[in-house]
Amino acid sequence: MHSQSVTVWRGFWAGDVNGPYFFKNEDAQSVNVTVTRYRDMITQIFLPKLDDSDVDDTRFQQDGATCHTAHETIQLLHEIFPARVHVW
């Protein structure tokens, strides 16, 4: 009745690729991306990789998914990328 699905995130820039990152629970099952899961991925996966790269003046672009546009996410991105977050 319900087909299986997978949720994956990937970041890329001129010099490198970050990911793919698959959103899964403790049992390795695919899960929906919530605000908390998305913020955790940014802070635990994306930022350490970004810190290891020589990327200045980075801009962060995403679509209008709820977890992307949530107040908590936008606040986090403004802290990480001051004056470089654009909400469409």
Side-chain angles (χ1 to χ4, degrees), residues 71 73-87:
H71 175 74
T73 301
I74 299 300
Q75 182 179 356
L76 173 67
L77 294 175
H78 278 291
E79 292 169 11
I80 298 167
F81 305 108
R84 295 177 284 160
V85 176
H86 304 282
V87 181

Side-chain angles (χ1 to χ4, degrees), residues 12-79:
F12 56 91
W13 52 90
D16 203 357
V17 175
N18 191 336
Y21 175 78
F22 295 89
F23 288 88
K24 296 183 177 188
N25 64 15
E26 303 80 35
D27 298 324
Q29 298 170 323
S30 293
V31 293
N32 290 334
V33 182
T34 63
V35 171
T36 301
R37 288 181 180 133
Y38 187 64
R39 287 173 46 95
D40 287 348
M41 184 277 303
I42 290 172
T43 58
Q44 297 170 12
I45 305 296
F46 176 64
L47 286 181
K49 177 72 173 177
L50 190 64
D51 288 342
D52 290 341
S53 301
D54 186 23
V55 181
D56 295 327
D57 198 32
T58 300
R59 301 205 185 280
F60 194 88
Q61 180 179 345
Q62 54 192 4
D63 64 18
T66 302
C67 62
H68 297 171
T69 60
H71 175 74
E72 297 92 340
T73 301
I74 299 300
Q75 182 179 356
L76 173 67
L77 294 175
H78 278 291
E79 292 169 11

